[in-house]
Amino acid sequence: MKPFRYERANGVAAACAAAAAPGARFIAGGTNLIDLMKLQIETPELLVDIGLLPLADIIESTAEGGLRIGAGVTNSGLAADMRVRRLYPLLSQAILAGASTQLRNKATTGGNLLQRTRCPYFYDTTKPCNKRAPGSGCAALHGINRMNAVMGVSDDCIAAHPSDMAVAMTALDARLETVAPDGAIRAIPIDALYRAPGNTPHIETVLAPGELIRSVLLPPPPQGRQVYRKVRDRASFAFALVSVAVVAEREGDRVRAARVAFGSLSYKPWRSAEAEASLEGASATRTSFDAAGIAALKNARGYGHNDFKIPLARRTLRATLADAVGV
Amino acid sequence: MAESKRADVIGLPLDRIDGRLKVTGRATYAFEYATQGSVAYGVIVSAAIGKGRILRIDTRDAQHAPRVLLVLTKDNAPPQTPWGPVDLPDRFARAEPALDTDEVLYFGFPVAFVVAETFEQATAAAAMVRIQYDPMPGDYDLHAAGPSAENPGRIDGNGPADSAVGDFESAFASAPVQIDAHYTTPHQHQAPMEPHATMAAWEGEMLTVHTSAQLTTSPQEGLARTFNTPKENVRIITRYVGGGFGSKLPYYVDATLAAIGARTLGRPVKVAMTRPQVFYTTTHRTASEQHVRLGADRDGRLTAYGQEALVHCARFDLFTEPVCDAARRLYAAPNRLTRHRRAKLDLPRSDSMRAPGEAIGLLGLECAMDELAEALDLDPVELRLRNDTSSDPEQDRPFASRHLAEALREGAARFGWNKRVAKPASVRDRRWLVGLGVASAIRGDILQSATARARLENDGKITIELAMTDIGTGSYTILTQIAADTMELPVDRVTVRLGDTRFPPTAGSGGSFGAATSGSAVLAACRKLKAGLASGMTESLGSVTPADLDEAYSHAGFGAHFAEVCVDRDTGEVRVRRMLGVFAAGRILNAKTARSQMIGGMTWGIGSALLEENHVDSRFGSFINQDLANYHVAVNADVGAMEVVFLDEADPHGGPLGSKGVGELGICGAGAAIMNAIHNATGARIRDFPATPDKLLATLETLDP
């Protein structure tokens, strides 16, 4: 760990201004950032602690019938909130499928969205990694890439986003409310937060320097059953091989509408318009669900060790849809 | 009136003597000694290449970093004895010099050492050491190195690399039923919770080393050798150890460098390995390739029985994992073959990890037995019973005690084995495919040398002292019980002091010999003291040697594992619903700690069947998993209902206590029972451990409705 300065922000404006400086980073729960600092993957000069900002840990109902979640709400607090459990069980399930109790007690909503990939080559500073050291190459591309992405990535970086929470939020059409250092407030759909790696995988989001995620807005809950399914090597405290968030509504023997998002397949939670189109009005059968998976994964590409993710994602989607609509 | 014999204290499920200290944070571990201010903190710098030579080390920035006290490299490290000797009979007493070469022998090889006033300052400065390398190509892949593998002559435990009885090849060729299967097991790590750590301090020529170690006298001798000083000048203290599992049999450069740092600076120095360093600077269990060939007649009697293994050791070392050791003693067969071949790789040292040999050898062998049972259409329990033997098939001597058949029968009855449907993929429970599996357990039993001191104190209490360790197994507790039982005193009148080379020497903790060995020494010391009390004796020494185990017999613990697994029919996730282990392990010294040892071993079986593996990226020569987030050991949620049953086994030839080791028997065969249950659940034969979901997808596709 390199020496760094630490400031506790006493207001949003001051926090954004301080964090806009080169080498500055926000810190909230620190469950990812501090690990990365210990390994010198992240070497900030200044940490701006936003843990005590007013209203950061409040969950409130919105006029339109949704929820506004403060970015500082802990993962444990969000998963346990009665409104979340009743209206957005998908979100609660996804959060509880991630990390461990101890980590969830500390990790925050904003931090979860901005956590870095767990690609082993990103974590090992002796290895090439375009995300950590731009221009050094991607060691995962021809390496041991079992946990890496199969969708939407580039030969410069095949890292996967590790969040469970963000997958559920993507299926729920969450928007992020941010504050810029100049005080400007904007709303960003969660799907637009993450930037495709292209040839600049070190730039991961559309956030400007010092731009702070203040809250996450959930629109009113969608119709249909919500099911989150995480597939992992061990039963707890493991990153997903594949995860699937489904919201599906059944009408007779047909699917009226469905939402589908995958985790661990891409640099971001992967919402599949193709699967959703395929499911709309389709018969509620395993055959239809398989067809949705095939449509979703049409452009997927394995890199060797992670080839299995493609059939696994299709099978997991099929099972999760069957569960959601009761087949 | 005759005095009635007091109830045996040995065997009672006494709570751990050290339990309360540990859960309240008052047990002092190596890194927790000394106070801040007096002690300085050292950090090891690890090589960033797999093999090559150091061209230049630039330490200027590190030296000028805040409050840095010392930067050591090969350019300024003090002279030490060269590593080895490689063939020293006690390999854990070799010299372990640091920074004495410009060669990089493996990825993570220690290349520099930084000491500062705080751990954080040392860590920051360590990252400023700039090293220029001349990298060289290395051999990192076991399979690729297979053709150049050598006959190691001897394997760990000093058995021969090869064994043969009868004519295996002809018998196998003519066997009516044959199994010819290849299995692979991956590199595994001991992954103790407490990292390898040392605090060293000098007083004149006297070096005191608080370290996390399974052994005491070996590192004492080793450090003395390293620094070319009499071993009386080195004191090892290791009171509590947060897990070792074999990885703390050797001592490492944390001890060497802490000692060098302390001598140079004239103040105590602490060094703890980082978690990545625990992965790549200590030892690991070698990957293996196993070729198992079984030939049987139609009745299921083995006529040809062969297991061959390929393992690796570090280029500069000699360790050979005794993969086929279990096969040599487990089943009868007239024609037998075992063979070990060893490839030298440019990786860190492979060495012992819980049940070296058996733990992975039984994965191959006991899965092959399951394949044979299926080919014979014979129940897997019955197949094992038909090939039981009362004498050691390759040693021409009887087993001192062997209750494998009883364990299999008892386990089958308790587990509900008769409900198993032999045809795979027959049992479904909602989205789960359910299966049962069985495997035999065997672990060789040995006795080592130890001496213990028993002393009668003025207040009538007894103090026991010996340089034994308690690595979390319960040594403090069982030794207290043995002393209390022998002296006929309540356990609270006995104090056991361990982990200090000022106490009489022992072989320490390893190979499951710790309890029997140290326990026998305590027994002898207490018997002598008790007999001498009337004549005024207040102190005695008691000893045990390997010769106290009757050589006319073959010695091993046995058992049977049963597992029920369910496999998600869509995703291939395997969950262990329940396991039963029935063990015959001689006299049980503490029913609670022995059960805990077995549950721990069985849990490791879950790890080896389903979870644990590391990969080497051959382009870089380094392990890819370097933390506990990615190196998966079983967590609570992976462990279903666990039941342990000990058969009442008296072993009249089993040494002074009649006990057998329990630290390793629980893992032996456990993973195979799980893998066999997966086959019963799905029909899949996964021969490449572990059974992660990806390996089951092809089979599941064929089972889709």
Side-chain angles (χ1 to χ4, degrees), chain A residues 23 30 159 187 216 220 237:
Chain A
V216 174
F237 200 24

Side-chain angles (χ1 to χ4, degrees), chain B residues 237-313:
Chain B
I237 299 175
T238 178
R239 308 258 190 238
Y240 301 103
V241 179
F245 312 113
S247 79
K248 291 173 184 169
L249 291 169
Y251 68 102
Y252 301 91
V253 292
D254 57 306
T256 313
L257 287 169
I260 292 174
R263 165 143 265 183
T264 310
L265 296 172
R267 58 193 278 199
V269 170
K270 285 183 186 185
V271 182
M273 291 201 194
T274 62
R275 185 57 64 180
Q277 285 169 342
V278 172
F279 275 89
Y280 52 60
T281 308
T282 73
T283 59
H284 62 278
R285 193 202 302 278
T286 175
S288 76
E289 297 189 3
Q290 303 176 28
H291 185 198
V292 184
R293 286 179 290 170
L294 304 175
D297 63 24
R298 301 257 174 231
D299 291 334
R301 284 184 179 78
L302 288 164
T303 55
Y305 176 75
Q307 184 176 27
E308 296 156 83
L310 170 67
V311 296
H312 100 85
C313 81

Side-chain angles (χ1 to χ4, degrees), chain A residues 121 127 139 229 234-235 315, chain B residues 570 573 617 619 633 638 704:
Chain A
Y121 298 97
K127 304 294 187 292
R229 185 67 207 282
R234 69 177 166 190
R315 297 179 67 84
Chain B
D570 297 298
E573 290 164 293
D617 187 327
R619 299 169 302 171
V633 299
D638 294 293
D704 277 345

Side-chain angles (χ1 to χ4, degrees), chain B residues 605-658:
Chain B
I606 297 174
S608 61
L610 303 180
L611 303 169
E612 292 188 47
E613 62 179 324
N614 208 341
H615 297 279
V616 174
D617 187 327
S618 290
R619 299 169 302 171
F620 306 105
S622 77
F623 287 124
I624 285 305
N625 290 332
Q626 299 175 5
D627 58 48
L628 295 175
N630 292 302
Y631 184 80
H632 289 162
V633 299
V635 297
N636 284 333
D638 294 293
V639 183
M642 296 287 230
E643 191 184 353
V644 172
V645 174
F646 288 108
L647 297 180
D648 198 10
E649 182 182 74
D651 187 342
H653 314 292
L657 277 169

